[in-house]
Amino acid sequence: MATTSLKARMSILACCAAIPATAAHATENGTQHYPVGLLTASQSIMPEPGHATVQNYDVIYDADRMNDGNGNKLLPDFHLNVKVQATRFIYTWPIEMNGLTISSGSAVNFYDTSLSIGAEHGERFQLADTNFSPIMLRWTNKKNLHVMVAANVWAPTGSYKANRLVNAGLNYWSGDLEAGFTWMPTRRWEIGADSWTGFAFNRNNATGYTSGNTFDVDFVVGYRPLVRKPQLQLALTGDFFRQFSDDKVNGLKVGADGFRGRQMALGPSIRWDFRPGLAVLFKYQKEFDVRNRPEGEKFWLELAVPLGKSHRG
């Protein structure tokens, strides 16, 4: 059946952002644009007005099962491995009003993907879809709280062919409304969350598939344990993902449950701040409670480099 074939043909992880980006899942082929679990480190802290930052994300995602709507294995002999390299640029415009600033950004992503489903196997390295963040509004009390809202657009710049097992592009436009905060109640603690509500702007014209709308929250609770080495942060990070509308093919609901995806992930991270705005981070996230998408684990290596000054809590 055409629907079963679509489910089996995973385009993969979306990254970016740092995307924003990196590991995606449910909706067509269990895949979406925003890489859930990405933004878990000082998410709402932006560069100072008139300055910029470059963020680099290297991710390895590995999954050995594709789950159905009950959390059972959907496909036999399934294995997906994706290596992602994403670079994001953020600039804060030279305007500030009572702690409110305006930033803009974009992220470019490359995927190296290997997918096996039974006897079928595909490999491909290519440019994926591109993220644009034209408006990012951030307010700070200039002490310990940063709050941010943003609009994101994903452009289908990645290559796509309906009869190809592996695609980095999703072949449709989408957008996300983003809202988040970073709170540092003391110099040693950091608590933050970043939510993304995603909408497909059009269907995939090559397959007639319209992906459902999604909601994701990435979060972090971090602590700096060494008084003499405050550059070191240890943290618990994770994400909560739910798809809240049905997938459709040519206007018809996919399956009994609309192929609605869900998942959670948790894992540790370690971060080192060389100076304000310049930091490196490694984190691991294990997925669980997964429905209608791949279930696996993610390894992240992230680097932030300021081109000027960055806000600090």
Side-chain angles (χ1 to χ4, degrees):
M1 298 229 355
T3 299
T4 303
S5 176
L6 286 169
K7 291 178 181 178
R9 196 172 282 123
M10 325 221 45
S11 307
I12 73 202
L13 291 152
C15 243
C16 58
I19 277 176
T22 333
H25 317 311
T27 57
E28 183 174 6
N29 306 320
T31 305
Q32 72 200 38
H33 272 127
Y34 175 69
V36 295
L38 172 72
L39 295 180
T40 60
S42 303
Q43 305 95 316
S44 300
I45 297 179
M46 293 287 126
E48 293 281 2
H51 297 279
T53 187
V54 174
Q55 301 167 343
N56 191 81
Y57 299 79
D58 290 288
V59 189
I60 298 175
Y61 178 76
D62 194 80
D64 61 4
R65 60 183 293 149
M66 173 72 180
N67 291 351
D68 63 15
N70 296 314
N72 301 316
K73 185 176 289 189
L74 175 65
L75 301 171
D77 301 321
F78 174 90
H79 185 255
L80 171 66
N81 181 271
V82 185
K83 300 176 182 68
V84 181
Q85 198 290 317
T87 301
R88 186 188 195 191
F89 175 82
I90 299 175
Y91 175 75
T92 298
W93 299 95
I95 302 169
E96 183 173 4
M97 181 182 300
N98 297 323
L100 180 68
T101 61
I102 303 174
S103 302
S104 299
S106 181
V108 177
N109 318 282
F110 290 90
Y111 292 175
D112 184 3
T113 308
S114 173
L115 173 62
S116 297
I117 304 174
E120 292 188 81
H121 180 76
E123 294 184 6
R124 193 168 183 85
F125 174 80
Q126 61 187 142
L127 173 72
D129 293 345
T130 301
N131 166 268
F132 297 96
S133 304
I135 300 177
M136 308 167 74
L137 300 178
R138 192 289 317 266
W139 176 84
T140 177
N141 63 2
K142 299 187 178 181
K143 294 180 181 179
N144 63 357
L145 178 64
H146 305 259
V147 179
M148 190 266 291
V149 295
N152 292 270
V153 175
W154 298 84
T157 56
S159 173
Y160 183 90
K161 291 184 179 180
N163 62 353
R164 191 164 59 200
L165 187 65
V166 171
N167 287 294
L170 301 188
N171 201 38
Y172 63 85
W173 290 79
S174 76
D176 290 275
L177 299 178
E178 179 185 2
F181 75 92
T182 298
W183 179 44
M184 299 176 179
T186 72
R187 290 183 177 273
R188 303 179 74 173
W189 284 97
E190 175 181 339
I191 300 170
D194 201 64
S195 69
W196 290 66
T197 304
F199 306 90
F201 292 158
N202 62 289
R203 72 176 187 172
N204 181 341
N205 290 325
T207 62
Y209 202 108
T210 302
S211 295
N213 302 322
T214 62
F215 177 77
D216 169 66
V217 177
D218 301 340
F219 56 86
V220 60
V221 178
Y223 182 69
R224 299 184 184 272
L226 303 179
V227 175
R228 294 187 178 182
K229 295 290 183 180
Q231 303 96 326
L232 175 67
Q233 183 194 73
L234 304 178
L236 175 68
T237 75
D239 63 75
F240 172 90
F241 172 91
R242 291 292 186 273
Q243 182 177 336
F244 60 89
S245 69
D246 295 336
D247 287 3
K248 296 181 179 180
V249 176
N250 297 321
L252 300 178
K253 178 179 175 180
V254 176
D257 62 357
F259 202 49
R260 296 193 184 196
R262 61 187 263 185
Q263 79 149 66
M264 296 184 67
L266 284 174
S269 74
I270 181 169
R271 168 178 165 180
W272 185 269
D273 290 81
F274 297 95
R275 61 181 175 85
L278 178 61
V280 63
L281 177 147
F282 174 80
K283 66 186 178 187
Y284 168 81
Q285 295 171 335
K286 174 63 177 176
E287 297 175 339
F288 60 95
D289 189 29
V290 179
R291 304 288 187 273
N292 288 329
R293 61 207 223 148
E295 179 179 344
E297 54 189 357
K298 294 170 278 190
F299 303 85
W300 306 74
L301 179 62
E302 305 175 16
L303 175 67
V305 179
L307 306 178
K309 297 186 293 182
S310 292
H311 282 300
R312 302 296 295 172

